[in-house]
Amino acid sequence: MFGSSRRRMVGCLALIPVVTIVAVACSPAAATAPSPAPLDPTAGIVVGDGAVDIQLWSDPSCPHCMSLDEAIGDDLAAFVGDGTATWTLHPMTYVSAKRGDVTDYSTRAAALLLGVAAAGEDDALLPLYGLIQQNQVTADHSPSDEELLGFAATAGATSDLSTAIADYAGLASAANDAWLGKPIPGTDQVVDHVPLLVIDGTVFEVRENGTDAARFAAAVAEAAAD
């Protein structure tokens, strides 16, 4: 589960009227997650309205993505919560197949994130993303749809999301296909692996050597000062 700092800072997101999918602004928390309209699959899930642009390409089945979230998740939530940054998540879905996961956890989890965003559950997105990363498929267990919905409830979502995974699986797959192998605008980076983290147009080097958290915080602070 999350440390107290993440839960505390993510609570601030309820004050930020800015969760969007694609170019369509979300309405306040709805009773149900609306069915997906024709949307731009490359736009991602946007949380926050801060000046620093943080874009993340990540897969729910990627162990390196889990490690990165463990390192920077609390700081990311704080930067979004205090209005410093805007976070855009581009959920990818190809790692399940690479790992031999026949349950397609990547697509199911990405679909749930899209459904939660569509329902206007802005304050639940960062904690839900963290729970999804923390509970990746193991040799002994793959979270069921019911467990994924439980993660959403634990993250604070109160909408009826019972059909969100089925409703948004197609959009999740389309988003993956739209980005995989394509260049990230404004950079020389192609989406050929995850995680990919871009801060104000600069690709962040994920090292997983104990320095990612400090370097991430410094990079965001430097971008905010510009």
Side-chain angles (χ1 to χ4, degrees):
M1 294 299 176
F2 292 93
S4 59
S5 60
R6 186 182 299 202
R7 293 294 296 172
R8 182 170 61 254
M9 295 309 304
V10 169
C12 298
L13 294 181
L15 304 176
I16 304 174
V18 286
V19 170
T20 61
I21 299 180
V22 193
V24 182
C26 291
S27 59
T32 59
S35 297
L39 301 174
D40 176 2
T42 66
I45 297 169
V46 183
V47 183
D49 63 355
V52 179
D53 178 36
I54 300 175
Q55 306 244 354
L56 176 64
W57 285 258
S58 176
D59 191 302
S61 296
C62 164
H64 303 289
C65 300
M66 177 171 58
S67 295
L68 180 64
D69 186 64
E70 290 171 351
I72 72 168
D74 285 345
D75 284 339
L76 174 61
F79 285 131
V80 173
D82 68 12
T84 297
T86 298
W87 177 56
T88 301
L89 173 65
H90 300 283
M92 304 296 288
T93 63
Y94 69 90
V95 177
S96 275
K98 288 190 67 173
R99 297 183 65 186
D101 169 27
V102 297
T103 74
D104 202 5
Y105 179 69
S106 292
T107 300
R108 293 185 294 115
L112 180 59
L113 284 162
L114 290 163
V116 168
E121 297 276 8
D122 52 330
D123 57 332
L125 281 164
L126 276 160
L128 174 58
Y129 173 77
L131 283 167
I132 284 170
Q133 290 295 345
Q134 291 170 23
N135 290 277
Q136 291 187 6
V137 174
T138 67
D140 301 318
H141 181 68
S142 173
S144 65
D145 288 359
E146 289 73 21
E147 287 173 290
L148 280 167
L149 293 172
F151 298 160
T154 298
T158 58
S159 297
D160 178 3
L161 300 166
S162 57
T163 66
I165 294 173
D167 289 345
Y168 286 87
L171 182 59
S173 295
N176 176 85
D177 294 346
W179 275 115
L180 195 60
K182 304 299 193 303
I184 297 172
T187 76
D188 295 327
Q189 179 66 56
V190 171
V191 181
D192 57 4
H193 67 279
V194 286
L196 279 170
L197 181 63
V198 179
I199 302 171
D200 261 9
T202 299
V203 179
F204 179 84
E205 183 183 359
V206 179
R207 298 177 183 170
E208 293 186 75
N209 63 356
T211 69
D212 287 343
R215 290 186 303 105
F216 171 75
V220 174
E222 180 179 357
D226 288 344

